Amino acid sequence: MGPYRIGIDFGGTKIEIAALGQDGRELVRRRITNPGNYSGAIRAMCDLIAGVDQELGGQGSVGIGIPGSISPDTNVIKNANATWLNNQPLHKDMTEALGRDVRVENDANCFALSEAIDGAGQGYRTVFGVIIGAHHIAGEWGHVPLPWPRLEEFPMPKCFCGNEGCMERFLSGSALAQDWKGPGHRSAGGIVEAAEGGDITAIGALDRYMERMARACALAINFLDPDVIVLGGGVSNIKEIYERVPPMMRRYAITPNCNTPIVKNVHGDSSGVRGAAWLWNTP
């Protein structure tokens, strides 16, 4: 078996592993329930990697995407929504447990890397990736305050990070669900159909969501000027985003002719694990 890359998508409830060949072709994929504790997660990942290596008859490079980031000062995890990961030296512990180096990166960065290499962002120089999940917007971008706020958006909602007004609290799937159905609701599934059927609350929630997404995307354009914005996560399946948001964001973008495309991801739920594998240029 030739060289291959192993990627792990470390989620709050599941751990997924995949191996990619030199050409990016998927060779193996498996998913297990996350044990929900640090030592158990280390053992589970090592067992998954050992199983893939045994099946493929080699020793692949290993990349891990996590719902947080590594502190450059202390080399421990910070800002993970799976809070038991915080302050843990995951890179060190996995490297020692495996007996070979691993690379660890934020899961939103892995998503963007996957889509940039052979997904919706392929061929663009600068790709800005956003995961709009059921509960969170992955990456620190979600914890930037919603730009150009409206009076009716005050008082700004509290975020789990401790701050107020984070885009996470306006643009995540659960935020859309709560704007539609009220506090406590987590899923916005069916909102498009409800709006098409004349549900006034669904129409209003979608209208507000599109306008807020336009402000958020314009902010990314103003400070980064990406060649493309790629959306992932469950909310990215709402087709109206790609029709309604681009013309709306031109009001806020500082460039006179804002034509930055907003596109849906290609690899879907596979982008995280694929991006983790692509953390190594050569396996």
Side-chain angles (χ1 to χ4, degrees):
M1 182 68 196
Y4 54 92
R5 299 173 175 86
I6 293 175
I8 292 178
D9 184 12
F10 191 101
T13 59
K14 54 86 179 173
I15 299 174
E16 186 170 14
I17 189 170
L20 306 182
Q22 286 278 54
D23 58 357
R25 181 172 57 90
E26 186 178 298
L27 306 174
V28 177
R29 176 190 293 270
R30 294 180 184 137
R31 177 183 289 197
I32 63 170
T33 300
N34 192 320
N37 64 83
Y38 186 67
S39 60
I42 295 287
R43 288 193 301 270
M45 287 190 285
C46 289
D47 289 345
L48 285 169
I49 293 165
V52 169
D53 283 342
Q54 182 177 8
E55 181 173 339
L56 298 181
Q59 192 174 80
S61 60
V62 177
I64 304 173
I66 61 169
S69 57
I70 302 290
S71 169
D73 299 320
T74 61
N75 293 318
V76 299
I77 295 176
K78 62 178 182 177
N79 301 328
N81 51 37
T83 54
W84 49 267
L85 268 180
N86 288 325
N87 300 313
Q88 298 288 359
L90 181 66
H91 177 268
K92 172 180 174 290
D93 290 343
M94 281 298 298
T95 295
E96 291 179 354
L98 286 174
R100 64 188 194 261
D101 193 21
V102 303
R103 292 182 178 174
V104 182
E105 186 54 81
N106 172 262
D107 52 8
N109 293 342
C110 290
F111 165 80
L113 180 61
S114 170
E115 293 295 329
I117 289 176
D118 61 357
Q122 186 176 13
Y124 292 94
R125 292 176 302 169
T126 306
V127 178
F128 189 80
V130 181
I131 305 174
I132 317 171
H135 307 296
H136 302 289
I137 298 177
E140 282 70 21
W141 183 73
H143 294 285
V144 172
L146 182 72
W148 303 287
R150 304 288 182 261
L151 285 175
E152 61 270 19
E153 291 167 344
F154 288 91
M156 288 287 189
K158 282 278 189 182
C159 182
F160 75 87
C161 74
N163 293 316
E164 299 175 349
C166 295
M167 287 193 283
E168 162 110 3
R169 295 295 289 113
F170 290 98
L171 298 178
S172 64
S174 58
L176 176 59
Q178 289 169 29
D179 193 21
W180 173 27
K181 293 183 175 180
H185 289 275
R186 310 297 294 176
S187 173
I191 189 171
V192 173
E193 293 77 8
E196 290 174 346
D199 184 331
I200 299 300
T201 57
I203 293 170
L206 279 175
D207 286 347
R208 287 185 291 274
Y209 189 88
M210 298 300 166
E211 203 275 336
R212 289 164 178 166
M213 178 62 76
R215 283 186 260 160
C217 289
L219 177 67
I221 291 167
N222 288 349
F223 76 75
L224 183 62
D225 192 20
D227 296 304
V228 64
I229 296 175
V230 183
L231 303 185
V235 182
S236 70
N237 293 318
I238 298 178
K239 296 179 181 178
E240 284 80 357
I241 291 176
Y242 310 101
E243 301 165 0
R244 296 179 61 182
V245 170
M248 295 171 71
M249 71 186 183
R250 293 180 189 131
R251 173 183 173 187
Y252 307 100
I254 199 168
T255 177
N257 300 308
C258 178
N259 296 311
T260 306
I262 299 178
V263 299
K264 188 177 184 296
N265 65 88
V266 166
H267 295 299
D269 291 342
S270 301
S271 274
V273 73
R274 290 178 64 87
W278 283 117
L279 289 173
W280 293 83
N281 290 330
T282 55

